[in-house]
Amino acid sequence: DSDMVVVKPFGHVFEMLTQLRVDVAFSYYDGTRRVPWGSPEEVAFTKGKGYVRLQGGMLVMRNSIEALRWFAIWDSLTQGALHYKEENSKMGERWRDLLAEFKGPSQASLAFLLTQGDVEIMRSASSCCSVVRTINLEPLRERSE
């Protein structure tokens, strides 16, 4: 990603992910990460609903079918978000809200995929991001309300 620079060794990360058998890993803003566009506290959460902000620009992926499926589903959700936001429906409203909250389609769809559609999980880093989670990669369906 063109807006990232690695200034410390991180080879140990690959070792840890291998030991934990993680297929896909990404970073998130945890309130301690330094960036030039704001204080760590300012960038840790989205402005509206206070969701943990994701950094989808750098993913670490195992060379596996599961990782490829993750990426394909994420891409499909991103394309779907751009399509559905134009619809006058509950799904269109949901994607418009997510796109506005996360400031972009790839982060909004990453949050949706990570939480399996229950985006309220994004209110806490310990619930959404700081532990290894198993994500069901079966097709996600809109919940009936």
Side-chain angles (χ1 to χ4, degrees):
D1 195 331
S2 63
D3 67 355
M4 177 172 275
V5 105
V6 177
V7 293
K8 294 181 180 179
F10 65 96
H12 66 283
V13 172
F14 298 117
E15 231 175 87
M16 179 190 69
L17 295 175
T18 299
Q19 290 172 3
L20 295 173
R21 302 235 3 108
V22 171
D23 289 303
V24 178
F26 57 89
S27 60
Y28 61 95
Y29 297 90
D30 63 357
T32 62
R33 186 171 172 193
R34 295 176 189 245
V35 294
W37 52 87
S39 73
E41 298 81 18
E42 289 172 331
V43 300
F45 298 97
T46 62
K47 300 280 189 242
K49 296 186 179 178
Y51 295 143
V52 174
R53 288 194 54 227
L54 302 170
Q55 170 41 308
M58 180 177 164
L59 272 79
V60 178
M61 301 175 77
R62 179 189 299 273
N63 186 7
S64 69
I65 292 296
E66 292 81 9
L68 291 172
R69 282 189 69 208
W70 168 278
F71 192 77
I73 292 168
W74 183 25
D75 180 58
S76 177
L77 282 170
T78 301
Q79 296 300 320
L82 295 171
H83 169 78
Y84 287 118
K85 75 175 185 170
E86 302 300 328
E87 288 189 1
N88 188 16
S89 65
K90 278 197 171 280
M91 187 181 295
E93 181 180 345
R94 184 174 193 184
W95 279 112
R96 282 189 296 279
D97 289 347
L98 284 173
L99 290 166
E101 190 70 26
F102 286 97
K103 305 290 187 230
S106 64
Q107 287 187 10
S109 60
L110 180 57
F112 187 89
L113 178 56
L114 178 64
T115 64
Q116 303 286 262
D118 185 8
V119 185
E120 291 302 306
I121 293 171
M122 296 299 297
R123 291 189 187 271
S124 163
S126 62
S127 297
C128 71
C129 306
S130 65
V131 295
V132 175
R133 299 181 61 224
T134 299
I135 305 297
N136 181 5
L137 295 179
E138 295 304 313
L140 299 173
R141 300 195 192 291
E142 186 74 10
R143 293 185 183 147
S144 57
E145 299 183 25

